[in-house]
Amino acid sequence: MTWKYRKKWLWLLIVPLGFGLWYGSQPKLFHTAISPRNVYRLEYYEASLLQSLIHPDFKMPSFVRLYRIAPETLLGESDVVDLWINGQLYWYLNPPMNKVRVGRDVVFENIPPECADCPPLTDAEIMP
């Protein structure tokens, strides 16, 4: 086989392999939740294939990002956790708690209140 043909075969192997590695390293959004007064957004992501390989004992390796909607600001991102039967969402946005909790493993603390003079959230709004 001449170098010209080897070069073509090399490209035919490298390009799909590179695309596969890139695709395997990308997390996938699978759920979004909005706070009761539409100020914050939680995005749930499936861990990438590479992150899943690092955590083989997790049934549902995932991570969560918390955003302020306007202006669009990332407030925090969790580590990779197992959300299998562990993803209940709690919006504790009334002072003095000021936190958002997802299951028992993810807690975002020191979250500013949604508004200054709002009535307290009901239990149904805290635990949707």
Side-chain angles (χ1 to χ4, degrees), residues 37 39 93-95 113-121:
R37 294 187 180 102
V39 176
L93 298 173
N94 296 331
E114 290 182 294
C115 61
D117 299 328
C118 297
L121 296 173

Side-chain angles (χ1 to χ4, degrees), residues 43-119:
E43 293 181 348
Y44 296 80
Y45 288 88
E46 292 178 7
S48 68
L49 178 62
L50 298 175
Q51 290 171 322
S52 297
L53 293 175
I54 294 171
H55 304 283
D57 52 331
F58 290 178
K59 285 188 173 188
M60 191 176 166
S62 307
F63 65 93
V64 181
R65 289 181 181 157
L66 177 65
Y67 290 92
R68 184 171 185 87
I69 294 175
E72 181 79 20
T73 308
L74 177 63
L75 298 177
E77 180 176 322
S78 72
D79 294 331
V80 176
V81 296
D82 192 5
L83 288 183
W84 177 256
I85 310 177
N86 182 30
Q88 181 65 38
L89 173 60
Y90 302 96
W91 297 103
Y92 297 123
L93 298 173
N94 296 331
M97 298 209 32
N98 295 345
K99 64 182 173 181
V100 176
R101 184 179 184 117
V102 180
R104 64 181 180 274
D105 298 323
V106 178
V107 178
F108 298 104
E109 296 183 319
N110 300 322
I111 305 301
E114 290 182 294
C115 61
D117 299 328
C118 297

